Amino acid sequence: MKILLTGFEPFGGDERNPSWEAVEGVANVPAGVTVVKKRLPVVFYRAADELMETIRAERPDAVISVGLAGGRQAVTVERIAVNLADGRIPDNAGQQPCDETLYDAGENAYFATLPIRRIVAAMQAAGIPAAISNSAGLYVCNNVMYAALFLAAAQGLGMRAGFIHLPYLPEQAKDGAPSLSLADDIRALEAAVACTADIISRN
Ligand code: PCA
């Protein structure tokens, strides 16, 4: 079984992005699971294109994409991706779409096909603050989550896909903003991989 994990480069003036650091750190995965890791640019459409190319090349059974949602208190497992791009800040290529449809051929939204509730429960059982989120935002993270689900739906791939947002690292959190350690981020992702692999192996 193959699981693709993606993280992002830093953006918005931050020097670090825990998403890629945590993906890089994932090591403890169930026997029989191969993890492929890919770092994505924080650039609308380019990130999604790179993800879709990697999916075509690697043919994973599941893709778990990861990003930073600074200000959130917990690791959040996203429920839904929407067919819209709207940048609160410019991306790393200076693009700042406003109320733009991502893909004309796509549905308005897709639900994650990862076992999101079980993943949250597994993270909590590991002592990590975790919750379901009902909005992945309208920035590059939503673009990437949407692209994987759109590709899977349009091409009838059996691949499951979804997205996990991480809080700030303690070093990034200013003015009392909530944060989580990189070690906890890594354990959260390992729980997500184990849960996803378990669901796939039962089908
Ligand atoms: N977070 C941004 C994009 C890259 C990242 O790590 C987002 O939530 O859209």
Side-chain angles (χ1 to χ4, degrees):
M1 184 188 309
K2 192 186 276 187
I3 298 184
L4 172 61
L5 289 180
T6 75
F8 280 105
E9 66 184 4
F11 70 105
D14 271 317
E15 276 167 24
R16 297 173 67 180
N17 190 326
S19 66
W20 175 244
E21 294 184 31
V23 164
E24 267 195 307
V26 167
N28 184 9
V29 299
V33 175
T34 303
V35 170
V36 178
K37 301 174 180 180
K38 171 82 182 163
R39 186 181 195 250
L40 296 174
V42 182
V43 178
F44 280 102
Y45 303 108
R46 195 186 303 163
D49 288 348
E50 288 191 18
L51 173 64
M52 290 192 285
E53 264 171 45
T54 308
I55 290 169
R56 287 192 193 98
E58 296 286 348
R59 295 272 154 200
D61 299 286
V63 48
I64 304 174
S65 293
V66 188
L68 164 67
R72 288 195 186 172
Q73 313 237 6
V75 176
T76 46
V77 184
E78 299 294 346
R79 191 194 298 275
I80 187 166
V82 297
N83 195 3
L84 198 73
D86 192 81
R88 182 180 53 80
I89 54 172
D91 68 15
N92 284 356
Q95 307 175 98
Q96 194 169 9
C98 176
D99 295 345
E100 187 171 297
T101 299
L102 283 169
Y103 302 101
D104 286 335
E107 301 289 346
N108 284 337
Y110 294 100
F111 289 117
T113 47
L114 299 179
I116 60 170
R117 207 167 275 285
R118 288 193 40 178
I119 290 174
V120 167
M123 290 175 181
Q124 289 172 341
I128 297 155
I132 290 175
S133 158
N134 295 317
S135 174
L138 299 171
Y139 198 54
V140 181
C141 291
N142 172 72
N143 186 175
V144 158
M145 179 180 176
Y146 185 93
L149 290 164
F150 176 36
L151 184 71
Q155 303 205 347
L157 306 179
M159 178 187 84
R160 289 172 180 265
F163 200 96
I164 295 173
H165 266 124
L166 302 175
Y168 280 132
L169 295 169
E171 299 78 3
Q172 294 180 294
K174 297 180 194 98
D175 303 326
S179 66
L180 196 65
S181 71
L182 185 60
D184 279 349
D185 287 343
I186 292 168
R187 290 195 306 122
L189 298 188
E190 288 174 343
V193 168
C195 248
T196 302
D198 183 59
I199 280 281
I200 290 170
S201 68
R202 287 166 195 267
N203 287 344

